[in-house]
Amino acid sequence: MAGRKSPWGGGNDGGDEPVSAGPGQKGDTPDSGSEPDGDEPPTEPPADKPKGPRNPWLPPSGILPPRRSAGMEEILRPGTKRGGGGGWGGGLGGGTGGGPTFPKLPERADGKSWAPLIIGGLLVAWLLFSTTHMLGPKEQGIVTTFGKYSRTIGSGLSLTAPWPIENVRVADVTSIKRENIPEADGEKLMLTSDQNLVDISYIVRWNIKDLKLYTFQLDDPDDTVKEVAEAAMRASVAEVPLKDAMGGSGRDFIQRSVSARMQSILDAYHSGILIQGVDIKKANPPAKVNDAFQKVSAAQQDANKDISNAQAWAQQVIARAQGDAAEFDKVYAQYKLAPEVTKRRLYYETMERVLANNEKVVTGSNGVQSYLPLSEVKRMTTPAPTPSQGGQ
């Protein structure tokens, strides 16, 4: 007859102890070969064995320690392995060595980590940097709330909400900006009123008048200034001839006209830009015809010089004629007062002027030779030069 099965489970698996056989039956014991007495009760299992059947859903005892949730300091501590240990006690990633390792921060005196203090310090620095703004005396700032315009702040200390709630764009609104047209000494040909081409290079000076309009109204304000300047310059040059465009009062007219035209167009665009002035650096003929133009210019200068000399000679002749006419008027006034005396005086003065350089004298008086060879008499009375004087 088979022996009774132990209520604690049979076999050696799970730590079950062997049971004694009933009366009249053989039973095996682990340590002795004697048969137990039939009246003895079954042997009790040891105290450290589980009382009852094992739960199949739990891992065997003694394999892994019980799980516990990680603290915040362990999560933030560099070098902590997350997801280590597979099986029943492993974390989220599985495996035993997953994830990079970082150098461990030194601990404080109380044994806690420095990571919370470092993170807190960085947070405070970020708040101070993104909420405090110090602007210079020439600067203004545009404040946007979630990308939408909120207000304009001036120079000095200003406070805003932290980024990304509010953002500040700072710009210099006082300094004068300069745009060179064309860039890098290029050629910019424009047509004048007399159908000639002129190569013009100039500088546009401007600054920001309204920062809000300057920021949001135009896509590219710098390019807009250049395009408006070129359009205004072409319109102004087309109103003057080549000679005036190259210098003189025509250049001043072009500069004032371009400034006025640019400001009118930019105000119509609501650009927030103020034109300070336009300065023409050079206005020359095209490089391909520059030599011929220089020759023509030289010929024109010579012609102008000859014209100026002729006009000066004409003015001298006219002035001399006017002087003679004024003198005649004075003589005529005296003639009307004493005609005979005036006639005799005029006769004597005229003969004196006519015969001043005459060497022959003809007289009509009685008893006097009618012809006097004054030139021969003068030559005879003049002493001959000595040899020493002749050699000098």
Side-chain angles (χ1 to χ4, degrees), residues 181-192:
I181 303 174
E183 297 179 354
D185 297 332
E187 189 178 43
K188 184 69 69 174
L189 299 179
M190 298 185 183
L191 191 66
T192 61

Side-chain angles (χ1 to χ4, degrees), residues 140-153:
Q140 290 184 0
I142 292 293
V143 181
T144 56
T145 303
F146 294 111
K148 185 177 180 181
Y149 173 76
S150 175
R151 63 189 181 277
T152 302
I153 58 177

Side-chain angles (χ1 to χ4, degrees), residues 236-381:
S236 300
V237 170
E239 297 177 351
V240 297
L242 177 63
K243 181 179 67 176
D244 294 339
M246 293 180 58
S249 60
R251 176 174 294 191
D252 297 335
F253 167 78
I254 292 175
Q255 293 177 163
R256 294 192 302 269
S257 177
V258 172
S259 298
R261 291 175 187 268
M262 289 187 64
Q263 192 63 61
S264 177
I265 296 174
L266 292 173
D267 289 344
Y269 289 167
H270 302 286
S271 62
I273 294 175
L274 179 63
I275 300 298
Q276 297 292 341
V278 176
D279 301 323
I280 296 178
K281 295 191 298 183
K282 70 173 183 178
N284 298 327
K288 295 181 179 179
V289 298
N290 189 29
D291 295 339
F293 186 86
Q294 295 296 334
K295 295 179 180 179
V296 173
S297 179
Q300 290 179 348
Q301 291 178 0
D302 294 340
N304 293 333
K305 182 180 179 180
D306 294 339
I307 292 173
S308 298
N309 294 334
Q311 291 176 350
W313 179 82
Q315 290 177 357
Q316 292 178 359
V317 173
I318 293 173
R320 186 164 53 249
Q322 291 176 349
D324 295 342
E327 184 179 358
F328 180 81
D329 291 340
K330 292 179 181 180
V331 173
Y332 180 70
Q334 297 296 328
Y335 175 79
K336 289 191 297 182
L337 296 176
E340 293 298 331
V341 176
T342 305
K343 287 180 181 179
R344 189 176 293 111
R345 181 181 176 185
L346 289 175
Y347 176 78
Y348 292 155
E349 290 179 354
T350 302
M351 294 304 293
E352 182 180 2
R353 186 171 60 254
V354 172
L355 299 175
N357 297 324
N358 192 7
E359 297 180 352
K360 297 180 180 180
V361 178
V362 178
T363 62
S365 302
N366 295 327
V368 180
Q369 187 178 359
S370 60
Y371 171 72
L372 295 177
L374 296 178
S375 59
E376 297 180 0
V377 174
K378 184 178 179 181
R379 190 182 304 111
M380 293 173 60
T381 57

Side-chain angles (χ1 to χ4, degrees), residues 14-25:
D16 294 335
E17 293 290 336
V19 296
S20 59
Q25 298 178 356

Side-chain angles (χ1 to χ4, degrees), residues 134-143 152-155 168-175 177 206-212 214-215 221 272:
M134 176 62 71
L135 275 64
K138 297 182 180 180
E139 296 178 335
Q140 290 184 0
I142 292 293
V143 181
T152 302
I153 58 177
S155 60
V168 179
R169 302 186 206 175
V170 181
D172 189 345
V173 298
T174 305
S175 299
K177 301 182 180 181
W206 60 280
N207 67 323
I208 300 174
K209 179 174 62 174
D210 190 328
L211 184 58
K212 176 184 176 182
Y214 175 82
T215 304

